Amino acid sequence: MVRGVVRWGAAVLGVVVLLGVAGWAGYTYALPHHRPALAAGERLGVDVSAHQGDIDWAAVAGDGIDAAYVKASEGATFADDRFAANWAGARAAGLEVGAYHFFTLCKDGDEQAANLLARLREVGADASTLPPVVDLELSGNCAARPSRAVVQERLTTFVSTVEQATGQQVRLYLLGSFEERYPLPDALADRDRWVRRLLLRPGDDGWAWWQVSSRAAVEGIEGPVDLDVVAAG
């Protein structure tokens, strides 16, 4: 009886160890190297910031990446210190490039728009580059939570100011927690969306970019990076 219990316990332990090894292998190798099946006309992209450090953009392009969004600014005054280098490097490697701005709840929309537009002027962005993106997340935002009316006014001002200056329609990277707290004003409901759905293809085809992974392995980038799918067209 004791021997049977010992054998059973050893078998269970063996299964647990195997499952642990399989899970570790999946998390450390399979998930980072996952590339989704692409529909006709779709391409792969990445989005990066100073957190990725010095990037070898030629190697990124050689790994099948065709487009990139790079962080330009945040709030009213913050400028990503790798923005100009990332922009120039990605363009030199032949990627389509665009800029994104992390929207801060606690700053006025016109101040934030001025910050992004200053960064775009520095790199000579024009209508041939990808449309600007505003990143709407609660995580990493300021501690205060202004009213819906205040945030909607600030966001509408930001978008309209950037669109008037660039001649391009701003895209929205909008997480569900943000939209639940701060629903989009009607005036912005028709903007292109950059959706986040890890691993699984979004059920709605009405997206311009799809973030498929936040831990992808891409040649030329040290450490994990966001991997995206660019919609056809």
Side-chain angles (χ1 to χ4, degrees), residues 30-77:
L31 284 179
H33 290 85
H34 170 71
R35 298 285 174 96
L38 300 178
E42 292 180 346
R43 297 169 295 137
L44 292 176
V46 293
D47 58 277
V48 302
S49 70
H51 292 298
Q52 275 70 46
D54 188 16
I55 295 175
D56 181 346
W57 284 103
V60 172
D63 199 18
I65 304 300
D66 292 324
Y69 268 107
V70 297
K71 184 174 182 178
S73 51
E74 179 174 332
T77 59

Side-chain angles (χ1 to χ4, degrees), residues 82-231:
R82 294 292 305 170
F83 173 60
N86 281 332
W87 182 278
R91 295 204 77 179
L95 277 69
E96 277 194 288
V97 186
Y100 77 87
H101 171 88
F102 187 90
F103 185 83
T104 302
L105 298 172
C106 301
K107 296 295 182 180
D108 288 340
D110 54 353
E111 293 179 296
Q112 297 195 60
N115 187 15
L116 173 60
L117 292 171
R119 308 287 81 76
L120 294 177
R121 286 193 295 270
E122 289 173 358
V123 296
D126 56 32
S128 69
T129 57
L130 292 171
V133 166
V134 59
D135 182 357
L136 302 171
E137 305 181 46
L138 293 181
S139 177
N141 220 301
C142 60
R145 292 292 181 261
S147 69
R148 286 184 177 181
V150 167
V151 172
Q152 288 178 338
E153 185 278 328
R154 288 173 174 170
L155 179 58
T156 301
T157 297
F158 172 87
V159 170
S160 62
T161 302
V162 172
E163 289 182 344
Q164 289 173 14
T166 63
Q168 294 177 294
Q169 193 176 75
V170 171
R171 288 176 172 171
L172 309 178
Y173 178 84
L174 177 62
L175 294 192
S177 57
F178 188 101
E179 189 171 19
E180 182 177 346
R181 182 69 179 263
Y182 298 109
L184 284 179
D186 292 341
L188 303 182
D190 64 343
R191 297 307 189 276
D192 284 345
R193 296 289 190 99
W194 178 351
V195 301
R196 182 178 190 266
R197 192 176 190 201
L198 303 183
L199 300 180
L200 300 177
R201 178 174 286 271
D204 180 7
D205 290 333
W207 48 268
W209 273 54
W210 159 34
Q211 183 187 346
V212 65
S213 175
S214 59
R215 294 190 53 81
V218 174
E219 291 294 328
I221 301 177
E222 185 174 350
V225 66
D226 292 347
L227 181 70
D228 306 282
V229 173
V230 185

